[in-house]
Amino acid sequence: MTEQLYKNVSMGNDAILHLLPRVSDGTPGGRIKTNMTAALCYYEKLSSKLQSILAEHGEEAKEEGMMAKMGARMGIMMNTALDATDSHIAQMLIEGSTMSVTENTKLIREFENDRDCAEVISLARSLVEFEERHIEALKQYL
């Protein structure tokens, strides 16, 4: 479970890293960029915690494969080449966060009765709550 949660967080982190340069500061106060930077910070902290948990169990943190990452990056590039407005970027982020909520909720349900996963389940629940708040914050840009 820890490895899959790490991969999910890593994909969100990677997506924001590739979207940030495409965001204009034209919104009042550049707030969408602020929201994205806050999400990036959250993902990095959670990623670090998950890496520590994996290391404690003698495992290595593995990210998604190169093909999956390249596919996501190409999708971001193509999507933002056609439309790089804050509204469209918010829509992309909302879709990604919604996928994160779905995937992590499945993980929680699958492992919720496994006592060995209690700490990671708690982190997954925190991530789902964060993603839901992030979605709500991004709706103002639609």
Side-chain angles (χ1 to χ4, degrees):
M1 175 182 181
T2 309
E3 186 175 319
Q4 186 57 48
L5 185 59
Y6 177 79
K7 284 181 180 181
N8 294 346
V9 172
S10 178
M11 285 297 285
N13 190 56
D14 199 50
I16 289 181
L17 280 173
H18 285 85
L19 272 171
L20 269 172
R22 291 161 173 77
V23 175
S24 71
D25 288 324
T27 60
R31 289 181 38 209
I32 192 167
K33 202 168 213 174
T34 301
N35 287 351
M36 291 171 68
T37 304
L40 186 62
C41 183
Y42 179 84
Y43 293 147
E44 288 175 351
K45 285 180 185 177
L46 183 54
S47 177
S48 180
K49 284 182 189 178
L50 292 167
Q51 285 175 337
S52 295
I53 291 169
L54 285 165
E56 287 172 11
H57 291 93
E59 297 177 39
E60 187 177 325
K62 298 176 188 165
E63 296 183 7
E64 281 293 338
M66 185 56 76
M67 293 304 287
K69 281 187 158 192
M70 297 240 337
R73 289 175 187 169
M74 290 299 292
I76 288 169
M77 286 175 51
M78 288 173 53
N79 258 303
T80 55
L82 297 172
D83 183 356
T85 62
D86 287 351
S87 175
H88 185 68
I89 289 174
Q91 179 184 343
M92 292 170 63
L93 290 167
I94 288 169
E95 289 170 2
S97 289
T98 300
M99 287 190 326
S100 176
V101 168
T102 302
E103 290 302 313
N104 294 311
T105 299
K106 286 180 188 177
L107 278 176
I108 292 165
R109 298 275 189 266
E110 183 178 345
F111 291 96
E112 65 189 340
N113 295 321
D114 187 338
R115 292 178 192 255
D116 293 335
C117 294
E119 181 181 11
V120 179
I121 289 170
S122 177
L123 292 173
R125 285 187 174 124
S126 294
L127 176 58
V128 168
E129 291 169 6
F130 172 81
E131 295 288 19
E132 289 171 342
R133 287 189 311 272
H134 192 228
I135 289 167
E136 287 303 312
L138 290 167
K139 286 180 181 179
Q140 68 182 307
Y141 302 105
L142 296 176

